[in-house]
Amino acid sequence: MIWRFAVRRLVGGLVVVFAVATLVFVISFVLPLNPAAIIAGPDATHMVIEEIRRALGLDLPIYVQYLQYIERLLHGNLGYSYVTNQPVIQAIAERLPYTLAVLGTCLVGQLIIGVPIGVLGAWKRQRRWATWVSNGVATLALTIPSFWLGLILLYVFAYQVQWLPLGGVARPTWIIAPAVALAFTGAGRYIRMANASMSEVLVEDYIRTARAKGVSTTRLLYKHALRNAARPLITMTGMDVATLAGGTLIVEKVFGIPGLGMLAWQAVQNGDLPVISGVLIVVAVMVVLAALLIDVAVSLLDARIRLERL
Amino acid sequence: MPINAFGVIRKLFNAHGLRLKRNIARGGAMALMVGAVVGCGSAGPTASQKAPSSAVITAVMAKDPTTLDPALNDGTYSDNFVKALFVPLIRFNRNLTMVPAGATSLPTVSNGGKIYTFHLRPGMVFSNGQPVTAADYALNITRILTPSLKSPLIGDFSDIAGARAYIAGKAPSVTGIKVVNPQTLQFSLRQPQRTFLDFIAIHGFPVPPQLVHKYPSTFAYHVVGDGPYVLAGYVPGKQLVLKKNPRYYRASSVKNSEIKVTIGISPQVGVLRVESGQTDVELNPVTGATLLQMLQNPQYKKYVRSAKFVADVYAAMNMTLAPFTNPLVREAAALSVNRQEILRTIYGRGRIMTQIIPYGMPGFDASLKPLPYNPTKAEALLAKAGYPHGKGLPPITFVADTSLPIFNAQHIAEVMQQELQHVGFHVHLQIVTQKGIFRADHSKTPLTLNIVGMNYPDPYTIMWTDFACSQRFFPNWADYCNRQVDQQMASSEQLSLPAAIVVYRQMQQQIEAAYPWIPLFYPKAAYAVNPHVQGVGVNAVQPFDFAAWTKS
């Protein structure tokens, strides 16, 4: 039954990706970009620009260009960069691992920092120190911009004490500073969410019953309470995939990470439409897959949802 | 005062005595966590504490070179790398004199300046051992002229006989490119063109035919050349490694064994890397607050290295758009800007502009004086034009490009905005990126801040791109069009450089009298370079001549 559910979600996701691809094509015509002029550079003559325009196929009718674009997409071909002539799929494949590494460590880090502190705040809510810790860390995390924390981490740990690399990805330790910067600043919402969700669950009758039966605190918190409080956290993690997939640009710029964000930024600066489109489509695919995984995970946690959605 | 995040962080740490020395690392993590180490001084670890091997020079840059393919090399980011990998037939030396490189001598010119014959230096080989022949040079120029490659250089060689027919698909080859024998190459032109040799000096490289045919559009990723270096590794966005080419014909003149460039490092982080000795050279120009902090810091002042850079920085007034259709208004705008003040905003890294031909370019006239700063006269001119105190002047959109190299365009534009408003102009700033400039509709942009640099040492490069009628709006931002000047420009192509310079100086006077620009300054480039690295920025045509870099 879970498979039927997953397949239905996947088909829906494909429709979304197709819509994004079409939208990207339409937007590229709405933007006041002249790719031929961009490629030709400032010293080019009109003859050169016209020749390049023809070579790019931009003189063809729009519907022909659209059909060619969709045909290429169906063959897994995202086109070629206007600037480097490199296949876009190759450029993305080279950059994606870095973005996934940042995204993955950030998501895990957010959960590792956010959930225990949120749970602590809810469990020990009668104790003033616990509330202070929970609220204090959450507020700090929510107010510090990730790039600012990143700069401080770089200045202290990379420039002054030189434990971490000062930008770039040459050493394996490159991931530490960006992951900490993003995870800490993102953890604030998880603290708040875990706190609120656990606070609701911890006053439920079944928790009182479990406690009366003598269930250990750890088991009570992490097996009985957190399992039921986890749904909004999992949904939020899925939303974070979408936010982070396209939103790691500033952190990538600060730390010199050659990820998708940097690729997209350079493409925007160069007016490199195939790369911009390619990145948007790949991010759309990532978001669709993340949404699918989240739906499946939530369904596995709560059979009622699975049945409702079927 | 411009804001620099690292500068602010550094000041915060220093102001509170929280200088963290590297010995904290030895002291353990606890000491760091409480931030309890107190130091003095104003900066981080010094380069001398960590001097890398002298044979390998490390560098950082913010973004990838546009290409490593000589047929696509547009001369901005990629130029230094292409010249590190390939040897042109002829080249410019440090004094901007044309000297032979891949050729044995400068070409013999015949048929009234229409035929150029090059004799190749014997024994030249690609780094894979394959001999370099005349056909390899011919192939590169033919590739440039092949529309499907989308080369931005196609216009530079379109005056070769038969090139236009080839571009239009009416001929299978370019008749004007003739491989006489493996060691002799001949170009025939439609008409005499003095700058043809300049184009050969900056784009006349050989390419290995097998690889080019195997990777017609992605040769940039499979580069094999005959230059001082071989491409030992390139991961876009991450790293580019050049290793000394033992087969290079002047291998003994290459002063280092390897250039390792880390890509994707922002200029601010790059400077920190140079200061801390983790990198030798920052390939992005240092500007703004970062430059100021380096200049003010006695320890790091010596890390600022000036580089030769021949260019004009100016604001182009669109002569077809009100209010700049009126020459009095243009003159008023040109007189209202205090160029000395502009120079102060870039910490004196430049010279006030005196003429269109930039300082350092052949033909620069040292006796000319800059336009005065005279707001009183500017106000009077505006009144004479029918706009007393700016009353009735339409608002002006001022486009400034933040990605222009060498200086901070936004700061300059802000100062200019204030000064123009002081005499009565109503100026709205529009800050865009470089490619934003390209895509902006310049037929509707009254004022544009821009820089025009020297591609080759001939005033024609600037006169033509910025004032020819055929270049209106792009990149002739002022939309200056004077058919007489155009004719002079066309005929100047057939003169020798000294004779042409006389013409260019006359044209310059004529153009300046029309006030198409608000002249600003000739910029000086500044780079962060470890003091033990020498040879950076000594060649105006090629700022980063890697082979000349040495490390003590």
Side-chain angles (χ1 to χ4, degrees), chain B residues 194-213:
Chain B
R194 185 187 64 257
T195 50
F196 177 72
L197 277 189
D198 295 311
F199 293 135
I200 289 291
I202 54 178
H203 304 305
F205 302 99
V207 286
Q210 293 88 343
L211 280 171
V212 164
H213 292 136

Side-chain angles (χ1 to χ4, degrees), chain A residues 94-105 153-154 158 163-182 248 251-252 254-259, chain B residues 238 265 273:
Chain A
E94 283 165 0
R95 309 296 185 107
L96 191 60
Y98 297 105
T99 296
L100 289 178
V102 172
L103 201 150
T105 48
L153 291 174
L154 271 187
W163 286 351
L164 300 176
L166 192 42
V169 291
R171 281 157 54 187
T173 47
W174 69 267
I175 190 71
I176 295 174
V180 169
L182 276 174
T248 55
V251 168
E252 285 182 9
V254 168
F255 292 99
I257 302 165
Chain B
K238 192 179 171 189
I265 305 296
R273 283 176 70 128

Side-chain angles (χ1 to χ4, degrees), chain A residues 110-126:
Chain A
Q110 285 179 163
L111 289 168
I112 289 174
I113 299 168
V115 173
I117 295 176
V119 170
L120 176 80
W123 177 242
K124 298 280 183 190
R125 61 187 180 281
Q126 312 298 345

Side-chain angles (χ1 to χ4, degrees), chain A:
Chain A
M1 192 172 278
I2 190 75
W3 287 111
R4 267 183 63 199
F5 171 72
V7 167
R8 278 184 58 178
R9 304 295 286 170
L10 195 61
V11 171
L14 286 175
V15 173
V16 171
V17 172
F18 180 77
V20 168
T22 303
L23 197 64
V24 163
F25 182 85
V26 171
I27 287 172
S28 69
F29 278 91
V30 174
L31 287 174
L33 275 172
N34 183 352
I38 290 164
I39 292 167
D43 298 338
T45 61
H46 292 291
M47 180 197 85
V48 173
I49 294 169
E50 213 36 54
E51 283 305 330
I52 292 177
R53 202 167 161 267
R54 249 199 300 277
L56 291 171
L58 297 174
D59 56 334
L60 297 171
I62 290 178
Y63 75 92
V64 176
Q65 290 186 50
Y66 177 71
L67 290 177
Q68 287 178 348
Y69 167 74
I70 294 295
E71 189 194 349
R72 279 203 311 268
L73 281 188
L74 290 174
H75 286 91
N77 179 357
L78 295 173
Y80 293 84
S81 162
Y82 283 164
V83 179
T84 64
N85 278 330
Q86 194 187 19
V88 172
I89 195 86
Q90 189 187 330
I92 289 174
E94 283 165 0
R95 309 296 185 107
L96 191 60
Y98 297 105
T99 296
L100 289 178
V102 172
L103 201 150
T105 48
C106 167
L107 288 177
V108 172
Q110 285 179 163
L111 289 168
I112 289 174
I113 299 168
V115 173
I117 295 176
V119 170
L120 176 80
W123 177 242
K124 298 280 183 190
R125 61 187 180 281
Q126 312 298 345
R127 306 286 175 87
R128 194 178 288 174
W129 66 265
T131 313
W132 280 6
V133 168
S134 175
N135 287 347
V137 176
T139 308
L140 199 65
L142 287 168
T143 48
I144 296 180
S146 57
F147 76 88
W148 180 253
L149 181 60
L151 289 172
I152 291 175
L153 291 174
L154 271 187
Y155 186 75
V156 175
F157 293 100
Y159 179 65
Q160 290 286 2
V161 299
Q162 300 197 2
W163 286 351
L164 300 176
L166 192 42
V169 291
R171 281 157 54 187
T173 47
W174 69 267
I175 190 71
I176 295 174
V180 169
L182 276 174
F184 182 75
T185 51
R189 289 173 300 115
Y190 284 82
I191 295 172
R192 291 259 192 251
M193 184 64 82
N195 194 326
S197 196
M198 283 293 277
S199 296
E200 278 177 24
V201 170
L202 286 174
V203 295
E204 294 283 341
D205 291 343
Y206 67 90
I207 295 291
R208 206 172 301 129
T209 308
R211 204 182 288 181
K213 280 180 165 179
V215 174
S216 72
T217 304
T218 313
R219 195 174 161 80
L220 180 82
L221 282 177
Y222 289 97
K223 183 162 169 44
H224 295 276
L226 192 59
R227 190 184 166 99
N228 287 298
R231 240 178 65 194
L233 291 172
I234 291 172
T235 308
M236 200 159 77
T237 308
M239 284 158 60
D240 271 355
V241 172
T243 314
L244 288 168
T248 55
L249 168 65
I250 294 176
V251 168
E252 285 182 9
K253 278 200 84 164
V254 168
F255 292 99
I257 302 165
L260 277 189
M262 284 283 270
L263 181 69
W265 173 244
Q266 282 188 12
V268 168
Q269 281 196 313
N270 293 333
D272 196 347
L273 280 173
V275 175
I276 299 170
S277 312
V279 171
L280 287 176
I281 290 166
V282 167
V283 169
V285 170
M286 283 167 66
V287 171
V288 163
L289 287 178
L292 176 71
L293 283 176
I294 297 305
D295 279 351
V296 171
V298 170
S299 307
L300 287 173
L301 271 180
D302 191 340
R304 286 170 302 179
I305 291 179
R306 192 162 65 240
L307 292 171
E308 268 170 30
R309 291 181 180 177
L310 279 171

Side-chain angles (χ1 to χ4, degrees), chain B residues 470-486:
Chain B
S470 62
Q471 303 299 94
R472 286 173 68 183
F473 303 123
F474 184 87
N476 174 356
W477 310 120
D479 193 23
Y480 179 87
C481 183
N482 181 330
R483 297 290 168 195
Q484 193 192 342
V485 167
D486 260 20

Side-chain angles (χ1 to χ4, degrees), chain B residues 209-263:
Chain B
Q210 293 88 343
L211 280 171
V212 164
H213 292 136
K214 192 172 174 188
Y215 307 106
S217 60
T218 55
F219 174 62
Y221 297 91
H222 308 91
V223 159
V224 168
D226 59 344
Y229 295 92
V230 291
L231 184 66
Y234 177 34
V235 182
K238 192 179 171 189
Q239 197 178 52
L240 191 153
V241 181
L242 300 171
K243 283 201 170 153
K244 185 174 173 177
N245 176 9
R247 291 187 163 121
Y248 175 52
Y249 79 106
R250 291 173 64 224
S252 60
S253 68
V254 181
K255 307 289 187 205
N256 51 69
S257 65
E258 189 174 321
I259 302 286
K260 198 179 269 184
V261 183
T262 303
I263 301 164

Side-chain angles (χ1 to χ4, degrees), chain B residues 33-94:
Chain B
M33 288 179 75
V34 295
V37 179
V38 177
C40 55
S42 59
T46 60
S48 56
Q49 288 172 281
K50 193 179 180 179
S53 153
S54 64
V56 178
I57 296 181
T58 55
V60 292
M61 62 191 292
K63 57 182 185 180
D64 290 282
T66 321
T67 184
L68 299 177
D69 184 341
L72 298 170
N73 170 28
D74 64 358
T76 48
Y77 278 91
S78 49
D79 206 35
N80 301 296
F81 294 95
V82 169
K83 284 174 179 162
L85 295 163
F86 298 90
V87 179
L89 282 165
I90 48 177
R91 65 182 176 87
F92 295 106
N93 66 12
R94 289 181 184 188

